Amino acid sequence: MAEAAVLGMIQDLESLHVTCTDRDDLEMFEDKIVVLKEILDLLRNLKLEERSRLKYLIADLVELGQDVLDMDISWIELRLKCIKDEIQVTKMRMRNFGADENNIGDEEAEEEEVVVGLEKDMQKLLDRVILTKVKELRIMCIKGMIGVGKTTLARQVYKAGAGQFQRHAWVCASTDMSKKEILMKLIQQMVEGYERDPSLEEMDNRSLQRILCQHLQDMSYFIVLDNIPKEMGLDSIFRGLPSEGLTGSRLLFANRYVLRTGNINYTHEMSALDSDKSWQLFLKIVDKITCVENKFSKELERKGREMLKKCGGLPMAIKNVARQKAKQRLSGIDWEQLFDSIDLIESLKLLEPMYHQLKERFKPQFLHFSFFKENALMRETKLRQIWDANGLYNIPVTREFVDSSILKVAKQHFCQIKCHLHPLLHMISIKKAEEEMGLEILRSNGNSRPSQNARHRVIHCGRDRFNHFTKEDCKQLISLVFHGGGRYLDDVSQSYWKSFEALKILDIEDFGLKSLSETIGTLIELRYLGLRNNYIQEIPRSLADLENLEVLDIALNFMMEVPNIIWHMGNLCHLNMSDVIFRKPLTVDALQNIRSLAYISIYDWTCEDPNSSRKYKLLMLGFEDVDGNSDVGKLFKSLAKLPNFYELSVRGFRFRSMPCLDEICFIKRLKVLKLDGRIGRLPSADNLPQQVEYIALINTCLDKDPMPILEKLSSLSKLKLRNAYTGREMVIQEDGFPELELLCINELWNLRNIQVDEDAMLNLRKLEINNCPHLETLPEWIRSNSELQKFKMVTTKHIATKIRNSGLTSEIIEEDIYP
């Protein structure tokens, strides 16, 4: 039947193709026929037993064929590519059908109702999103890693809010579930008379969509779709849901992935529980299983809380541990003994799918998380540079990990992102790295013995000293990472570094290192050298011999002296530093392969015009020590000749004022501009780069309001002001900031009023106001801006109460006002 339907579509197109005379239409028909024949071949290759087992996924394929048939010529190339991708995804799901018997990822579906720490989340979703007076369809998502409580929160919201709607439904998907099955479940729950109607089985997807859409028309509905597979296209589901009309309907997804739709109005990011909530949840589970109210002394409670730290606030892990301990307690073991250890094996098994479900090309990057300390804030730039040094594909990877709830963005300052990896996922990264890439973890306070087969080694140093390794222990090492501190490297022999002949990555960040031996120049394969935040006063001249070195990070070594070697390091791509002393200024010509360089004193950089015959790769540059004597005009003119340059950071010299930056307009391709330090005035809007998208003004202490200038920049999307303006009033005029999406206002100590005219900042999505102690009122504009989704404010208790009571922020989807 499915084959006949697709064959009929092909025949219809072939008939039109024969009579068609327009060349564009002819190509369109030919492209469509190719895709439909791909679907037909896929259906014909199915065995008889597979047809019965995969009947719902077959229905999804037929719908994709119908999508191809209905497609008009506009955007056809892009839309056909999307459908081809979805055909391949469906093919993969058919091949893997039934493989995930335990329905991985849906770990919370059958969890008993023990809820702790979700009260604020639930109230925020109900008040701000579910039960608001907004009459349009709102689509929301609860997002977070496996076991963090997404389903539990969604269930609480559904119980509290579903009764306010005329129709409601809950669908918990499995990895094998088809779009047809979801449509059938929605009809069975929301359309009267179809609760057990067998005729739904025989209908195609389009018929199911029509039934659902027809019966929900002009009705308010609340639907929760839990654990929708990442690969599933959602167009089929949206076609069955009326989006027109003022019914105030709500659609809520609970997923660990960012969904393949641009229609999400609000995403609620789930967080792990704090220490108090973790302990409360543990007690509730234990009391429920032991059927008594367990009481603990202060010392026992301290031990119990210390044990639970290993769970990282993950409810799933806390519940698993609580069940284990409760059952052991029932067998007669004392709590004091039970709190001495923790077994996380079951929790790790439930989390491993987060690794297995990664695309193959992203798994090696995940393994490199094992190089970092537990609970570390990982700089995205460092991650990418380490991946690069090992020859790994890295451009979209960090976003992939964030979108799939493996990494969580902990801090974000414009382009700079710091991410956090949950401790249990960190354990998995270590386990998998040990299994798959030869990782070895050594600790000075344990009985660590180096392996001769290790390819990557992480050393945790404490007060105890290691016995230094033999050449046989080191010759195969590709990566060597030190954590901790102490004097482990202070007394190594002159020949120590000669043992690491294959080393590509050497990271000694935050180690307290005072000096490096000249023999480090023997590491001729080295590509990444991380020496950030140590006490090194001079880098060895032998670094000039590291011909393959791509990344040198010597930042935060106060007043480090750098010999005349940088221009000999021909493959150097990224040089991170600050407060360094150069014996000879750097020239652009000496840095032909450099892509990023920050921060260098403006007096250590010579501004000769770049040689036009060379292909320069410099993208990002940061200067410090800029004062009134600096010739910034000459500097900007030389940077303007670099074809790919787009990010500039400028730091002033202590309390001196920087010169006027009018000539910055020469750098026409500039996208990111950061100014840190006093400046008398801003350049006019005409004298700022017109393509600039991000601007940060920090410690500029401007006397005049910068907004009348900045609001005229038509490409500006993000603006950060920190101690940037000393005045009392800030005015944003009509039509100002047409593309601005993010505005951060921090530490404007004298600011008392922000005036925003009508039709200003129409695209603003996020507004942050922190530590402006005299700003007691907000502009009325906040109430009328329908695009504003998040408002965050850190202020005094008095002002926070006043802002909350004003009602101005009542229509904003998410707000955080502290205290």
Side-chain angles (χ1 to χ4, degrees):
M1 185 174 176
E3 289 177 48
V6 177
L7 184 59
M9 298 174 197
I10 294 172
Q11 291 170 346
D12 289 345
L13 287 174
E14 287 176 337
S15 299
L16 292 169
H17 182 267
V18 170
T19 58
C20 182
T21 56
D22 183 272
R23 178 178 296 179
D24 291 338
D25 286 344
L26 279 170
E27 289 181 2
M28 178 184 71
F29 291 138
E30 289 166 0
D31 291 340
K32 286 184 175 185
I33 289 169
V34 169
V35 177
L36 287 172
K37 284 184 175 179
E38 184 180 345
I39 295 174
L40 185 61
D41 289 342
L42 181 54
L43 293 171
R44 283 175 170 170
N45 288 333
L46 292 174
K47 298 175 182 177
L48 188 61
E49 63 272 16
E50 291 176 324
R51 294 172 188 269
S52 175
R53 196 162 56 98
L54 303 175
K55 61 180 180 180
Y56 296 126
L57 288 173
I58 289 172
D60 288 358
L61 272 178
V62 174
E63 185 188 5
L64 287 173
Q66 190 65 49
D67 289 344
V68 173
L69 189 66
D70 294 344
M71 200 179 295
D72 60 31
I73 200 166
S74 60
W75 298 97
I76 187 166
E77 186 175 343
L78 178 61
R79 294 168 70 193
L80 273 176
K81 183 184 182 303
C82 293
I83 288 179
K84 285 180 182 178
D85 291 342
E86 196 160 350
I87 290 169
Q88 292 306 311
V89 166
T90 308
K91 184 177 180 180
M92 179 192 68
R93 297 183 71 205
M94 286 177 159
R95 191 186 312 121
N96 298 331
F97 189 84
D100 300 322
E101 293 179 2
N102 294 326
N103 189 23
I104 54 178
D106 186 27
E107 78 292 343
E108 303 157 303
E110 301 299 328
E111 184 59 73
E112 66 266 27
E113 289 296 329
V114 178
V115 181
V116 168
L118 297 180
E119 298 83 6
K120 288 185 178 178
D121 299 76
M122 186 180 80
Q123 205 57 50
K124 179 178 283 187
L125 279 165
L126 285 172
D127 293 347
R128 295 282 172 196
V129 184
I130 307 297
L131 303 179
T132 63
K133 297 177 181 178
V134 178
K135 294 300 182 182
E136 294 82 11
L137 171 65
R138 301 302 291 264
I139 303 173
M140 303 142 290
C141 182
I142 298 174
K143 180 180 174 291
M145 65 182 289
I146 292 176
V148 78
K150 303 180 297 295
T151 301
T152 304
L153 175 59
R155 189 182 295 117
Q156 296 300 308
V157 171
Y158 186 72
K159 286 180 179 177
Q164 308 295 317
F165 298 82
Q166 293 169 284
R167 295 287 185 268
H168 50 83
W170 175 292
V171 178
C172 182
S174 69
T175 51
D176 287 335
M177 187 173 284
S178 67
K179 290 175 275 188
K180 177 172 181 175
E181 289 172 280
I182 293 174
L183 290 168
M184 287 168 57
K185 287 178 178 290
L186 291 174
I187 291 171
Q188 288 164 348
Q189 293 183 57
M190 294 198 294
V191 180
E192 294 179 2
Y194 282 93
E195 293 83 353
R196 291 181 175 83
D197 193 327
S199 66
L200 297 177
E201 295 271 354
E202 307 305 321
M203 295 183 188
D204 60 19
N205 289 19
R206 292 293 177 92
S207 299
L208 295 173
Q209 292 160 6
R210 282 192 291 270
I211 290 174
L212 188 60
C213 192
Q214 183 179 2
H215 283 81
L216 291 182
Q217 200 67 47
D218 299 323
M219 281 192 169
S220 64
Y221 57 86
F222 179 27
I223 298 171
V224 178
L225 298 176
D226 183 23
N227 194 40
I228 297 294
K230 179 185 180 182
E231 302 83 7
M232 181 178 287
L234 298 173
D235 287 348
S236 182
I237 297 166
F238 286 132
R239 285 193 197 107
L241 302 176
S243 57
E244 303 286 326
L246 302 176
T247 60
S249 296
R250 305 287 182 260
L251 177 58
L252 175 63
F253 292 94
N255 263 69
R256 73 178 183 90
Y257 301 103
V258 169
L259 294 165
R260 295 170 57 190
T261 176
N263 301 324
I264 303 292
N265 298 109
Y266 170 63
T267 297
H268 184 83
E269 190 88 25
M270 293 288 290
S271 298
L273 301 178
D274 61 22
S275 177
D276 290 338
K277 295 291 192 297
S278 296
W279 181 246
Q280 289 175 32
L281 180 58
F282 176 82
L283 289 181
K284 280 194 172 187
I285 299 291
V286 166
D287 290 351
K288 184 173 182 178
I289 294 174
T290 59
C291 299
V292 296
E293 186 178 352
N294 291 272
K295 301 287 187 180
F296 298 96
S297 66
K298 286 186 177 179
E299 178 58 23
L300 267 181
E301 181 177 329
R302 184 195 65 77
K303 284 186 69 175
R305 285 174 178 262
E306 193 66 27
M307 174 193 71
L308 287 180
K309 282 184 180 179
K310 293 290 184 182
C311 296
L314 191 68
M316 178 189 70
I318 296 166
K319 291 175 182 180
N320 281 336
V321 170
R323 291 190 205 98
Q324 294 169 17
K325 300 301 180 185
K327 290 174 183 176
Q328 291 172 323
R329 175 61 181 160
L330 290 173
S331 68
I333 304 176
D334 291 337
W335 282 115
E336 188 162 358
Q337 184 179 348
L338 290 174
F339 287 162
D340 284 339
S341 62
I342 188 169
D343 182 359
L344 295 169
I345 293 175
E346 188 62 32
S347 299
L348 292 175
K349 283 181 181 177
L350 290 169
L351 287 172
E352 272 200 35
M354 296 188 79
Y355 171 72
H356 292 303
Q357 291 173 350
L358 281 171
K359 294 176 181 176
E360 286 301 317
R361 69 177 185 270
F362 294 145
K363 288 181 179 179
Q365 284 86 343
F366 177 86
L367 302 182
H368 283 73
F369 294 149
S370 60
F371 289 6
F372 293 80
K373 290 188 289 188
E374 181 181 301
N375 281 319
L377 286 184
M378 298 180 286
R379 299 189 306 278
E380 183 188 27
T381 50
K382 181 176 180 177
L383 275 171
R384 294 173 70 166
Q385 288 166 359
I386 285 177
W387 290 333
D388 256 344
N390 258 335
L392 299 176
Y393 179 72
N394 78 50
I395 292 178
V397 177
T398 309
R399 178 51 54 189
E400 172 75 15
F401 288 132
V402 170
D403 287 350
S404 57
S405 300
I406 288 176
L407 287 181
K408 185 164 186 172
V409 176
K411 293 183 178 180
Q412 182 167 4
H413 298 291
F414 295 88
C415 302
Q416 306 300 318
I417 295 175
K418 291 184 179 180
C419 298
H420 176 255
L421 181 72
H422 192 274
L424 296 184
L425 291 178
H426 185 253
M427 290 183 193
I428 292 173
S429 74
I430 292 174
K431 176 175 177 284
K432 293 299 179 184
E434 289 173 339
E435 293 171 357
E436 299 179 22
M437 71 175 199
L439 175 71
E440 178 177 75
I441 306 283
L442 299 180
R443 301 180 186 276
S444 63
N445 57 357
N447 297 319
S448 299
R449 292 188 177 181
S451 165
Q452 294 184 7
N453 298 320
R455 289 181 291 127
H456 306 272
R457 180 176 289 157
V458 176
I459 301 177
H460 293 267
C461 297
R463 294 181 179 178
D464 299 329
R465 294 193 181 186
F466 281 102
N467 293 321
H468 295 303
F469 310 126
T470 67
K471 184 176 178 65
E472 295 302 313
D473 299 332
C474 307
K475 66 179 182 179
Q476 294 188 63
L477 282 181
I478 298 171
S479 309
L480 181 61
V481 179
F482 291 93
H483 294 311
R487 297 174 55 195
Y488 173 63
L489 290 173
D490 288 350
D491 59 351
V492 296
S493 68
Q494 287 293 312
S495 62
Y496 179 74
W497 295 113
K498 294 180 180 179
S499 304
F500 301 91
E501 55 195 45
L503 203 64
K504 291 183 179 179
I505 295 173
L506 176 59
D507 188 18
I508 321 179
E509 185 173 326
D510 301 328
F511 196 73
L513 193 67
K514 294 180 180 178
S515 62
L516 273 177
S517 166
E518 286 287 341
T519 56
I520 199 168
T522 61
L523 303 178
I524 58 174
E525 297 298 322
L526 203 65
R527 296 184 181 178
Y528 178 97
L529 178 56
L531 301 173
R532 176 182 288 247
N533 197 24
N534 283 288
Y535 302 108
I536 304 171
Q537 296 181 346
E538 183 176 2
I539 59 173
R541 296 190 64 87
S542 64
L543 289 190
D545 299 327
L546 303 180
E547 295 179 357
N548 293 305
L549 194 67
E550 297 173 358
V551 179
L552 177 60
D553 189 345
I554 53 175
L556 305 180
N557 286 274
F558 185 65
M559 300 306 291
M560 174 189 281
E561 190 167 346
V562 180
N564 303 338
I565 61 170
I566 298 297
W567 47 86
H568 297 304
M569 303 168 78
N571 283 318
L572 199 62
C573 298
H574 306 283
L575 179 56
N576 306 320
M577 57 186 180
S578 59
D579 294 319
V580 301
I581 302 170
F582 278 97
R583 295 177 185 172
K584 181 180 178 181
L586 293 180
T587 64
V588 178
D589 284 355
L591 303 169
Q592 189 171 343
N593 288 312
I594 283 280
R595 296 175 192 170
S596 66
L597 170 60
Y599 279 86
I600 182 172
S601 171
I602 193 169
Y603 297 106
D604 286 329
W605 176 275
T606 56
C607 297
E608 288 83 1
D609 287 344
N611 187 327
S612 59
S613 65
R614 295 193 178 186
K615 295 182 179 179
Y616 295 95
K617 299 177 181 178
L618 190 65
L619 304 175
M620 296 169 279
L621 187 57
F623 288 103
E624 56 189 4
D625 299 339
V626 180
D627 59 16
N629 297 319
S630 305
D631 190 349
V632 292
K634 185 178 179 182
L635 169 68
F636 295 155
K637 288 177 182 178
S638 68
L639 295 178
K641 297 181 180 179
L642 301 176
N644 302 309
F645 185 71
Y646 76 91
E647 180 175 337
L648 175 65
S649 299
V650 180
R651 287 179 180 171
F653 182 79
R654 298 181 183 174
F655 300 106
R656 299 180 188 175
S657 290
M658 293 189 287
C660 179
L661 306 177
D662 285 339
E663 292 93 343
I664 201 169
C665 62
F666 290 119
I667 314 176
K668 297 186 183 302
R669 298 183 186 89
L670 198 67
K671 300 286 187 183
V672 180
L673 175 62
K674 302 175 186 177
L675 302 180
D676 185 348
R678 287 179 174 271
I679 187 168
R681 63 173 177 84
L682 282 180
S684 68
D686 292 336
N687 283 336
L688 284 169
Q690 297 305 299
Q691 296 180 29
V692 69
E693 296 175 3
Y694 312 124
I695 289 182
L697 302 181
I698 302 168
N699 300 319
T700 50
C701 300
L702 293 162
D703 294 328
K704 292 186 177 180
D705 180 5
M707 295 312 204
I709 292 174
L710 298 176
E711 69 184 6
K712 295 175 184 175
L713 299 174
S714 58
S715 297
L716 191 65
S717 62
K718 295 178 183 177
L719 174 62
K720 177 181 179 180
L721 305 175
R722 179 160 68 84
N723 192 25
Y725 170 50
T726 59
R728 295 189 170 199
E729 185 173 56
M730 187 177 284
V731 179
I732 300 168
Q733 302 174 70
E734 184 177 359
D735 298 326
F737 294 112
E739 296 298 325
L740 196 68
E741 296 179 3
L742 169 64
L743 174 60
C744 300
I745 300 173
N746 300 334
E747 300 174 22
L748 301 192
W749 306 110
N750 298 322
L751 188 65
R752 283 164 168 76
N753 182 45
I754 300 176
Q755 178 185 323
V756 183
D757 292 349
E758 190 176 354
D759 292 334
M761 297 194 293
L762 293 179
N763 288 302
L764 197 71
R765 305 285 193 277
K766 184 177 179 180
L767 173 63
E768 290 189 14
I769 301 175
N770 301 322
N771 299 318
C772 299
H774 297 292
L775 185 64
E776 298 191 10
T777 60
L778 296 176
E780 184 68 27
W781 159 90
I782 283 182
R783 194 192 305 273
S784 60
N785 189 334
S786 59
E787 295 297 322
L788 190 61
Q789 295 180 359
K790 184 170 183 179
F791 172 66
K792 181 179 179 180
M793 188 172 191
V794 178
T795 184
T796 65
K797 187 174 181 179
H798 163 72
I799 295 175
T801 303
K802 188 174 180 180
I803 297 295
R804 284 194 200 96
N805 294 338
S806 69
L808 277 174
T809 59
S810 61
E811 295 302 319
I812 299 172
I813 290 177
E814 182 176 348
E815 65 168 320
D816 294 305
I817 303 177
Y818 299 100

